Every structure is written in structure tokens, then in C-alpha cells.
């Protein structure tokens, strides 16, 4: 049976929940005027899948969604489990109408006006507006290197990493220059021989910089953009010095090597042509937005992502994209930043509905 709603939110991670919070606050009736569809059987978005030791780069008091503070975490930077529990509580506390275990296969437009069709594995929903907040966890990215397929050891993406114990005594190559790479390297290097490979020299933040400062920088950038003035915030670096990374630095484990030339059956060939024998390669090479379900809309492109005006698709203003980073709003791929993106998207759809 086909149901109808004013707003369908796809994804119940932090971006989808922040949007649902603002819809509720704007007076939309949960379950009737809006609903949230999420593929995961349980709450927490991507956080429920992340590795055990992962630490946020921002303290709990600077990682909250709108309306409800994240409780303090016992020992400094929160774990992924702490965030999962916070999102589960958030969903329940506000009675957000999330339907877990529902996968959206495709969003289609029957015409240039009227509702969008949201096709799911449980049937079809018609929605005047769709807020797509599907994150990137379902689309890990691995760069291509010659010889990758011939490698006899194990290759895994950071998405599939759990804990260091299984690498004890191994020779492990960690590829990537961001926080995931630095945190995984930091703990794997306590039990294994590690080689760290980065595309460019890693950029470490000052020891006292965390997510709070990053958010302040993003806020200054917004203000500068709005005022049409130059952005005075210089680059801060990529890697936040959480305790495990500081410890690795003190052990001398944070030595980065330039990009690989190729992969051979028993290891990797470094930039100097030397072979590093390896059992395992961990690709900490990031993610891409999970947007396959939007393919039928054929969104107009702006470089490597759909073209948006604010959060609205330029080629179809009935659809908004949330939580994908600066192109969907400054810091919108972070816990603390996505609330602002969600608030603006909801304000806009209330002010200018796009469908009869
Ligand atoms: P997700 O959490 O991925 O939620 C999307 C939801 O949509 C999922 O539940 C998924 O099942 C669902 N979904 C996807 N496709 C469909 C579909 N077709 N149909 C139905 N449901 C679907 N941010 C910080 O603020 N601080 C940090 O310290 C921090 N550290 C990070 C460390 C790592 C390793 C990573 C990967 C990210 C980190 N981030 C951090 C960034 C950011 O907070 C996360 O990427 C965040 O999970 C994005 O939230 P989201 O709601 O956009 O997406």
C-alpha cells in the first residue's frame, strides 16, 4: 500500500535525527507529517559499526545535537559506543518516528511537480519533500594501485577494522593521512610492525586543538562568507592529537612515508623502490557520500558531488542533502555542526514548500 507524508527523512544517523528534531519543533506531526527511514536495524547511524577504540576528536560537551546535551564521557574524548548510546537516547527522548530496518532503494520523480516517490524494500512512500541524510559509511573508498589484486596478504578498509589483537606480530601497512589512519596506526603499532604511508606529509594539529576549535573555525568561516570578507582562519591540520596518537608519537610510531609505487604479492613497493614485506594493508582512505538511491533523479553535478543551493538539489528542489560536509553546510558532517544545517534546511522547506 502506498503511504503519503509531507517530509521523508532517509537515514537516522545524527544528520537525520537533527532534521527530525527540527521538523518536530516546527510543528510537524511525527509519523503523519514526517517519518524517518533507516536501513540499520538499530539506532546510532554509522557509530554502531565503528571500531571499539575510536575516539571522537571533540569532547562530549562540544558534540551535541540540538536540544539535548551529550552526557560527559568517563575518560575524555567519547568512544563510538558513547555516541551510539547518545543517539539512541535522543531518538527515544524526542519520540522521533524512525522506522528501522527499511532500505530506500530509489527516489524517483513522476514529474517536475508533485510528490517524490520513495521506493523502499517495504513498499512505496510519497513525500512532498525528501531530506536525504545517508552519510558515507556504506561507501568506503580505496584508491587503486597497480598489483592490488595480486597481494597475497589481507587487505581491509578502516570500515572493517575492529581491534589490534588480530594483527599481533604481523607486518602491517597503514595507508592514509587522516584521523582514522592515525588512530588505527597508534594502536596497531603497539602489537605489530607498522609502516605508515600518506599521500602528503601528515598535518598534525597543535596538541591543545580539538573539535571545539574546529567548530569555532567553521563558524568564523561562515561569518566571513556572509559578510563577504576574507576568511582569516588558516589551515589547522588534519589529525587531532587524542591521547592514543600522542602516545604513538612519543613511541616514535608516527613516521610517515610517501605514496606507494605499487603492490606486490608479499608487500608494497615504496616511493624509493624498496619492498616492504607486509601481511596486511589497512586502507584508511576515507568514504564517499552514499547516494546511489538518488541516481534516478539524475542530479546535476558540481564537480564530484550533486549541485546544491544550500541543502537543496539545484536540479530538484524537492530534495535536500544533509550531513555530507562543507558542500551541504559548514561542518555539517560533524555532530556539532549538523544541527545548524538541519535547522536551515527545515526553515527553508517550511518557508518555501516545493510541492502542492
Ligand atoms: P550516518 O551516521 O552514516 O547515518 C546514515 C544512516 O543512513 C545510517 O544509519 C544508514 O543505515 C542510513 N542509510 C544509508 N543509506 C540508506 C538507504 N538507502 N536507505 C535507508 N537508510 C539508509 N564527527 C565528529 O563530529 N567528531 C568526530 O570525532 C568524528 N570522528 C569520526 C571518525 C570516523 C572514523 C568517521 C568515519 C567519521 C567521524 N566523524 C566525526 C564524522 C561524522 O560524525 C560521521 O561521519 C557521521 O556518522 C555522519 O552522520 P550521518 O548522519 O550523516 O551519517
Amino acid at each position: 500500500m502506498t503511504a503519503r507524508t509531507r517530509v521523508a527523512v532517509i537515514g537516522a544517523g545524527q544528520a537525520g535525527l537533527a532534521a527530525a528534531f527540527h521538523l518536530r519543533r516546527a510543528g510537524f506531526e511525527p509519523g503523519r507529517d514526517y517519518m524517518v527511514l533507516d536501513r540499520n536495524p538499530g539506532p546510532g547511524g554509522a557509530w554502531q559499526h565503528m571500531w571499539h577504540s575510536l575516539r571522537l576528536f571533540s569532547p562530549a560537551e562540544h558534540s551535541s545535537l540540538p536540544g539535548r546535551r551529550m552526557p560527559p564521557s568517563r575518560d575524555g574524548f567519547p568512544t563510538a559506543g558513547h555516541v551510539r548510546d547518545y543517539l539512541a537516547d535522543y531518538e527515544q527522548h524526542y519520540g522521533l518516528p524512525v522506522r528501522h530496518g527499511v532500505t530506500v532503494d530509489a527516489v524517483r520523480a513522476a514529474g517536475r511537480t508533485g510528490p517524490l516517490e520513495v521506493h523502499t524494500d517495504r513498499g512505496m512512500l510519497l513525500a512532498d519533500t525528501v531530506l536525504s541524510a545517508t552519510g558515507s559509511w556504506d561507501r568506503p573508498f580505496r584508491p587503486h594501485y597497480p598489483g592490488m589484486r595480486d597481494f597475497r596478504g589481507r587487505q581491509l578498509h578502516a570500515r572493517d577494522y575492529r581491534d589490534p589483537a588480530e594483527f599481533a606480530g604481523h607486518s602491517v601497512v597503514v595507508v592514509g593521512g587522516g584521523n582514522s589512519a592515525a588512530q588505527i596506526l597508534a594502536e596497531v603499532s603497539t602489537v605489530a610492525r607498522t609502516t605508515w604511508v600518506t599521500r602528503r606529509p601528515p598535518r598534525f594539529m597543535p596538541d591543545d586543538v580539538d573539535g571545539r576549535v574546529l567548530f569555532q573555525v567553521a563558524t568564523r568561516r561562515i561569518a566571513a562568507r556572509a559578510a563577504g570578507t576574507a576568511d582569516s582562519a588558516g589551515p589547522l591540520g588534519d589529525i587531532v592529537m587524542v591521547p592514543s596518537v600522542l602516545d604513538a608519537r612519543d613511541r616514535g610510531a608516527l613516521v610517515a612515508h610517501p605514496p606507494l609505487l605499487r603492490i606486490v604479492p608479499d608487500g608494497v613497493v615504496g616511493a624509493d623502490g624498496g619492498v616492504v614485506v607486509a601481511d596486511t594493508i589497512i586502507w584508511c582512505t576515507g568514504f564517499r557520500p552514499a547516494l546511489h538511491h538518488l541516481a534516478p533523479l539524475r542530479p546535476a553535478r558540481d564537480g564530484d558531488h550533486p549541485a546544491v543551493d544550500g541543502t537543496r538539489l539545484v536540479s530538484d528542489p524537492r530534495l535536500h542533502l544533509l550531513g555530507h560536509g562543507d558542500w551541504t553546510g559548514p561542518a555539517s558532517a560533524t555532530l556539532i555542526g549538523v544541527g545548524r544545517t538541519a535547522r536551515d534546511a527545515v526553515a527553508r522547506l517550511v518557508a518555501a514548500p516545493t510541492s502542492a
Side-chain angles (χ1 to χ4, degrees):
M1 196 174 70
T2 302
R4 173 136 193 185
T5 186
R6 287 169 70 192
V7 183
V9 181
I10 310 175
Q14 63 208 35
L17 295 184
F21 169 89
H22 282 292
L23 287 164
R24 179 181 184 274
R25 178 176 267 187
F28 285 65
E29 175 74 24
R32 187 193 67 185
D33 295 335
Y34 73 105
M35 58 188 78
V36 187
L37 309 173
D38 191 281
R39 167 188 289 155
N40 273 308
W47 298 103
Q48 64 196 287
H49 303 296
M50 293 188 192
W51 58 95
H52 305 140
S53 63
L54 181 137
R55 294 285 171 168
L56 288 200
F57 46 72
S58 39
E61 63 269 29
H62 296 291
S63 303
S64 299
L65 294 183
R68 192 159 171 83
R69 291 185 79 85
M70 180 182 284
S73 77
R74 249 179 296 134
D75 49 352
F77 294 87
T79 60
H82 189 79
V83 185
R84 179 204 55 220
D85 293 347
Y86 167 67
L87 295 185
D89 168 74
Y90 191 91
E91 191 179 308
Q92 200 188 19
H93 177 78
Y94 289 112
L96 301 176
V98 182
R99 299 194 183 165
H100 283 287
V102 179
T103 297
V104 174
D105 301 316
V107 178
R108 296 178 191 279
R112 294 185 69 79
T113 59
L116 289 170
E117 298 174 0
V118 181
H119 294 263
T120 82
D121 58 354
R122 305 279 180 87
M124 208 248 279
L125 176 68
L126 294 172
D128 297 336
T129 306
V130 172
L131 304 184
S132 182
T134 48
S136 57
W137 188 252
D138 293 333
R139 232 185 120 200
F141 171 76
R142 282 188 200 193
H144 177 77
Y145 279 95
M148 262 173 118
R149 291 208 180 137
D150 303 325
F151 184 62
R152 281 196 291 259
R154 179 176 172 208
Q155 298 186 60
L156 68 159
H157 192 273
R159 182 185 197 276
D160 300 312
Y161 174 81
R162 285 294 162 267
D163 60 53
E166 58 181 314
F167 304 107
H170 290 200
S171 178
V172 179
V173 175
V174 176
V175 185
N179 287 291
S180 306
Q183 290 192 25
I184 289 175
L185 175 77
E187 66 175 6
V188 171
S189 64
T190 61
V191 298
R193 289 180 304 284
T194 50
T195 305
W196 189 21
V197 177
T198 60
R199 206 172 42 189
R200 59 178 182 216
R203 300 184 307 184
F204 299 104
M205 296 196 194
D207 289 3
D208 59 346
V209 167
D210 61 26
R212 177 177 43 92
V213 179
L214 299 180
F215 185 70
Q216 286 163 356
V217 168
T219 303
R220 283 212 300 278
R221 288 204 171 119
I222 297 169
R225 214 180 289 167
T229 56
D231 175 7
S232 59
L236 272 173
D238 299 316
I239 298 172
V240 179
M241 304 308 286
V242 297
S244 64
V245 176
L246 284 171
D247 173 64
R249 184 182 67 189
D250 294 346
R251 283 186 281 113
L254 294 189
V255 179
H257 299 274
L260 304 174
L261 288 181
R262 60 183 185 280
I263 296 173
V264 289
D266 58 354
V268 299
V269 179
D272 60 0
V275 174
V276 177
V277 174
D279 313 298
T280 307
I281 304 173
I282 307 180
W283 297 98
C284 304
T285 41
F287 297 83
R288 297 290 180 266
L291 301 175
H292 295 303
H293 56 295
L294 304 183
L297 295 179
R298 298 171 183 263
R301 311 280 307 169
D302 177 5
D304 61 358
H305 57 74
V308 286
D309 167 19
T311 53
R312 261 181 181 165
L313 268 194
V314 167
S315 51
D316 195 326
R318 292 168 290 185
L319 194 129
H320 292 247
L321 286 161
L322 306 178
H324 291 295
D326 286 354
W327 61 274
T328 48
S332 96
T334 64
L335 282 153
I336 196 170
V338 74
R340 180 159 50 194
T341 304
R343 182 197 63 198
D344 294 349
V346 169
R348 204 154 169 209
L349 80 84
V350 168
T354 49
S355 184

